[in-house]
């Protein structure tokens, strides 16, 4: 089960990522734009997620994903760390959120972090 230090290690391994305390919690930013936070006493993460996909995730896996009341109007979803299978799943979730926040110059410079291949 991934923990807060795994979130920090993986998030900071993504290009141009920094950690900044905001709202009394660690936040992770790419080129200054937030893509993940460690709220809830660091037992979960909040990540960017398009609303349509977010709603589908919550319906499909309510034990893993949920929407915090104050984030309902925004394209963010919460992820319970204890529900994740391993660091690879955590890395996929963080990289997806990073891609949504990263400027095109970074996406172009790191094609291996680009959009996942279509099935």
């Amino acid at each position: 089960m991934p923990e807060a230090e795994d979130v920090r290690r993986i998030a900071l391994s993504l290009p141009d990522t920094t950690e900044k305390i905001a709202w009394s919690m660690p936040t992770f930013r790419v080129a200054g734009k937030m893509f993940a936070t460690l709220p809830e006493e660091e037992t979960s993460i909040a990540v960017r997620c398009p609303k349509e996909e977010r709603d589908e995730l919550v319906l499909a896996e309510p034990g893993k994903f949920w929407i915090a009341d104050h984030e309902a109007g925004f394209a963010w979803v919460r992820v319970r760390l204890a529900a994740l299978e391993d660091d690879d799943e955590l890395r996929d979730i963080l990289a997806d959120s990073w891609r949504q926040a990263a400027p095109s110059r970074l996406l172009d410079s790191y094609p291996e972090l680009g959009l996942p291949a279509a099935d």
Side-chain angles (χ1 to χ4, degrees), residues 77-109:
V77 69
R78 298 284 181 102
V79 185
R80 291 176 180 88
L81 293 176
L84 296 178
E85 292 178 24
D86 53 26
D87 283 1
D88 289 339
E89 185 177 19
L90 174 60
R91 180 177 302 283
D92 289 346
I93 289 168
L94 287 169
D96 185 57
S97 187
W98 180 91
R99 282 190 294 272
Q100 293 175 57
S104 57
R105 68 174 172 78
L106 281 176
L107 295 175
D108 292 344
S109 295

Side-chain angles (χ1 to χ4, degrees), residues 2 7 35-40 42-49 54 57-58 61-68 71 76-86 89-90 92-94 97:
V7 172
F35 72 91
T37 68
L38 260 169
E40 309 299 326
E42 300 187 351
T43 61
S44 69
I45 56 174
V47 293
R48 291 176 173 270
C49 184
R54 173 188 76 177
L57 284 172
V58 171
E61 297 184 78
K64 186 179 292 187
F65 301 101
W66 91 98
I67 302 166
E71 294 168 345
W76 287 79
V77 69
R78 298 284 181 102
V79 185
R80 291 176 180 88
L81 293 176
L84 296 178
E85 292 178 24
D86 53 26
E89 185 177 19
L90 174 60
D92 289 346
I93 289 168
L94 287 169
S97 187

